[in-house]
């Protein structure tokens, strides 16, 4: 699975430190896949294909964190 996103325009004037990447299967509860993906690593993420099962629907959520806390 490869994900790519753009950094939000409104960061409250604080530098983004890292990202939390979560996913849900078939509209279920979100699970954290990566708790602190470093901002220095960029705005893309790749994980092993064994996460994905054929016939399932996956939803991914990415939120940024800075010195104030997590984005909504």
């Amino acid at each position: 699975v490869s994900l790519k996103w753009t950094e939000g325009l409104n960061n409250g004037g604080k530098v983004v430190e890292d990202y939390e990447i979560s996913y849900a299967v078939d509209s279920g509860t979100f699970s954290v896949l990566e708790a602190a993906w470093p901002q220095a690593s960029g705005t893309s993420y790749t994980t092993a294909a064994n996460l994905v099962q054929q016939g399932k629907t996956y939803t991914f959520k990415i939120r940024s964190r800075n010195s104030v806390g997590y984005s909504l």
Side-chain angles (χ1 to χ4, degrees):
V1 173
S2 293
L3 306 172
K4 188 167 178 74
W5 62 93
T6 56
E7 190 171 325
L9 298 177
N10 186 356
N11 61 9
K14 307 291 184 186
V15 174
V16 171
E17 296 173 6
D18 54 40
Y19 299 95
E20 179 186 84
I21 303 168
S22 303
Y23 73 100
V25 181
D26 292 335
S27 300
T29 303
F30 277 89
S31 299
V32 175
L33 181 62
E34 184 70 52
W37 182 248
Q39 189 278 340
S41 296
T43 55
S44 63
Y45 178 81
T46 301
T47 188
N50 60 0
L51 166 74
V52 178
Q53 296 177 16
Q54 188 172 354
K56 302 281 186 180
T57 300
Y58 292 82
T59 304
F60 291 88
K61 179 171 58 174
I62 301 166
R63 62 183 187 158
S64 60
R65 185 179 69 85
N66 62 20
S67 62
V68 176
Y70 283 102
S71 62
L72 299 177

